[in-house]
Amino acid sequence: MKTLTDLSPAEVREAFKESGFPAFRAGQVLKWIYENSVTDFRNMSNLSKSLREELAAKWQIDSLREVKRNSASDGTIKFGFALHDTHIIESVLIPMENGKQTFCISSQVGCAMGCKFCNTARMGMVRNLSPSEIVCQVLYLYREAGLREQHRSFNVVFMGMGEPLANLDNVLKAMRILIDKDGMNLSRRRITVSTCGIVAGIRRLAREEYPPRLAISLNAADDETRLKIMPVTEGNPLSELLDQLRRYPLPQRERFTFEYVLIRDVNDRDKDAASLSRLLNKLRYKINLIPFNPFPGSDYLAPDPVRIEAFQQILFSKNITATIRKSKGQDIQGACGQLAVSVEKELG
Ligand code: SAH
């Protein structure tokens, strides 16, 4: 059965036409899905019962089933969703201080990148998510956040499980559906793609009509240190990564975000902080310092709080904007880099 949320709004209209439904029916259904987050034909109350049945026999809308929900003391909620083939992905709903919401979504089941400090990496690569599986995470969190009235006051960040630029076709399709006026009608500024630094992927993203905001998981200021913790550095050295970023169509008032997971005695030395400003020369950016979040069986240690401060101070002294990310959802394993379903299960 075809899934409507795999299709762009224009393709939905085409599919309805081909099946002999009048054009306005497609418009009604798109409104239900993307304005009201209704993903079950049975609840589309302005369609006749027989039409709803006819549509439901032909298409499905939703591709996720909630199987787990953990609420943290700070309001963060981590969802586990089962896919049609029983694999599970996680998405996190994060309330921000400014009253807005951040939806942290997954792009793959597992991940092939092998970052040494990341829990998802230990699952290995299982499979790519379809456009629908990506879009439906946003629809689900949108519904859960009760955002019907304040329509667009949320941000979508591809910082859940997986490397979005390793599933670029489907991520791009999902992004276009989110941005489309007849889709979620979301501004491109509200979407951030976070990548471990796949140069060819960034190049492709730059050619999009609406390139998203970009966050780059840097985590080291030189190739040697980076290679120890991020194998992706092998084919994507920092020089090429930085060259590519300098060519990215970054709007005047925006800047890149560099994420830097501080790991004790690995990349938290004074000289690492000092090298960063030289490396990032001539770019507009801010740095997000993320203290390493340990997980069961992880090889590394969280940095000493004194080191975190010192690292930030060195960046300040070079006029770099650097914030220390307060990890949300710590108590439910919903924080940065902690998402990984099957590993959790294996470890019991
Ligand atoms: N593959 C993408 C998105 C997923 S990771 C990327 O690499 O950006 C999202 C962020 O979590 C990355 O910045 C990553 O460096 C960080 N992260 C991964 N494991 C972590 C951990 N154990 N503690 C803190 N941050 C972690």
Side-chain angles (χ1 to χ4, degrees):
M1 196 190 289
K2 268 210 170 152
T3 307
L4 280 187
T5 41
D6 268 325
L7 307 181
S8 69
E11 289 168 338
V12 171
R13 291 181 196 283
E14 193 56 34
F16 269 64
K17 204 165 112 192
E18 273 169 20
S19 304
F21 295 109
F24 76 97
R25 292 293 183 205
Q28 284 177 312
V29 168
L30 286 168
K31 258 194 151 97
W32 276 115
I33 299 175
Y34 294 110
E35 279 186 24
N36 300 310
S37 190
V38 168
T39 52
D40 186 337
F41 288 112
R42 282 172 302 188
N43 297 333
M44 300 187 177
S45 53
N46 61 353
L47 309 182
S48 72
K49 192 156 181 282
S50 62
L51 177 60
R52 287 183 238 169
E53 276 165 15
E54 210 180 324
L55 293 171
K58 215 169 166 44
W59 290 300
Q60 66 174 44
I61 302 173
D62 209 350
S63 46
L64 308 176
R65 188 165 52 85
E66 182 185 323
V67 290
K68 199 172 71 175
R69 172 187 299 232
N70 291 323
S71 301
S73 45
D74 61 17
T76 301
I77 309 174
K78 181 173 79 170
F79 294 90
F81 296 116
L83 311 176
H84 67 85
D85 53 6
T86 76
H87 287 305
I88 294 174
I89 53 162
E90 293 179 333
S91 319
V92 190
L93 176 59
I94 310 166
M96 308 303 279
E97 281 74 20
N98 58 11
K100 295 198 168 139
Q101 314 263 351
T102 294
F103 302 169
C104 178
I105 62 169
S106 295
S107 55
Q108 298 180 312
V109 185
C111 186
M113 296 299 114
C115 298
K116 300 279 194 289
F117 49 83
C118 177
N119 201 6
T120 306
R122 299 196 308 167
M123 291 175 71
M125 172 60 178
V126 181
R127 74 166 170 86
N128 282 330
L129 296 187
S130 65
S132 163
E133 287 162 344
I134 296 170
V135 168
C136 285
Q137 293 175 69
V138 176
L139 286 174
Y140 203 98
L141 298 185
Y142 178 70
R143 191 158 58 226
E144 283 300 325
L147 283 182
R148 277 178 68 154
E149 304 305 321
Q150 321 148 29
H151 203 58
R152 279 170 288 277
S153 61
F154 63 90
N155 295 305
V156 173
V157 298
F158 283 87
M159 292 185 191
M161 300 162 79
E163 166 52 43
L165 300 192
N167 180 19
L168 196 45
D169 288 338
N170 294 349
V171 166
L172 286 180
K173 180 85 186 260
M175 263 175 34
R176 289 179 198 138
I177 296 172
L178 294 177
I179 290 172
D180 196 299
K181 291 268 179 298
D182 293 325
M184 204 73 196
N185 194 15
L186 196 64
S187 160
R188 58 156 282 284
R189 283 177 290 115
R190 299 243 165 255
I191 303 176
T192 300
V193 168
S194 180
T195 176
C196 61
I198 300 177
V199 176
I202 298 174
R203 193 177 304 128
R204 236 186 107 190
L205 216 47
R207 290 200 296 260
E208 273 294 286
E209 187 180 2
Y210 300 108
R213 285 188 186 235
L214 212 52
I216 303 95
S217 300
L218 196 61
N219 302 334
D222 63 87
D223 282 331
E224 195 192 339
T225 309
R226 196 166 193 262
L227 198 53
K228 284 188 195 145
I229 51 177
M230 300 180 74
V232 68
T233 311
E234 178 82 50
N236 298 272
L238 286 170
S239 56
E240 286 182 27
L241 175 59
L242 273 295
D243 269 356
Q244 191 52 51
L245 290 178
R246 291 194 180 93
R247 293 197 206 110
Y248 197 76
L250 188 69
Q252 256 328 304
R253 279 172 312 195
E254 292 182 15
R255 40 191 181 167
F256 294 111
T257 299
F258 288 103
E259 293 155 291
Y260 196 101
V261 180
L262 282 165
I263 308 172
R264 183 184 296 223
D265 297 334
V266 174
N267 62 358
D268 66 346
R269 304 156 295 187
D270 284 353
K271 69 165 190 182
D272 296 309
S275 311
L276 272 175
S277 68
R278 252 174 289 130
L279 179 73
L280 303 178
N281 182 26
K282 293 207 189 116
L283 283 174
R284 284 199 310 284
Y285 65 95
K286 62 171 189 243
I287 295 187
N288 238 324
L289 298 172
I290 315 173
F292 171 68
N293 273 318
F295 44 86
S298 59
D299 293 336
Y300 298 114
L301 295 174
D304 186 328
V306 175
R307 282 298 321 140
I308 302 176
E309 287 284 321
F311 201 94
Q312 187 185 35
Q313 285 306 324
I314 295 172
L315 297 179
F316 282 166
S317 74
K318 303 197 178 287
N319 287 320
I320 296 174
T321 310
T323 50
I324 299 172
R325 187 183 291 172
K326 276 190 242 135
S327 259
K328 301 249 184 185
Q330 286 274 22
D331 47 338
I332 52 166
Q333 292 270 303
C336 282
Q338 293 184 325
L339 304 185
V341 181
S342 62
V343 174
E344 262 177 42
K345 272 197 303 210
E346 273 161 31
L347 296 174

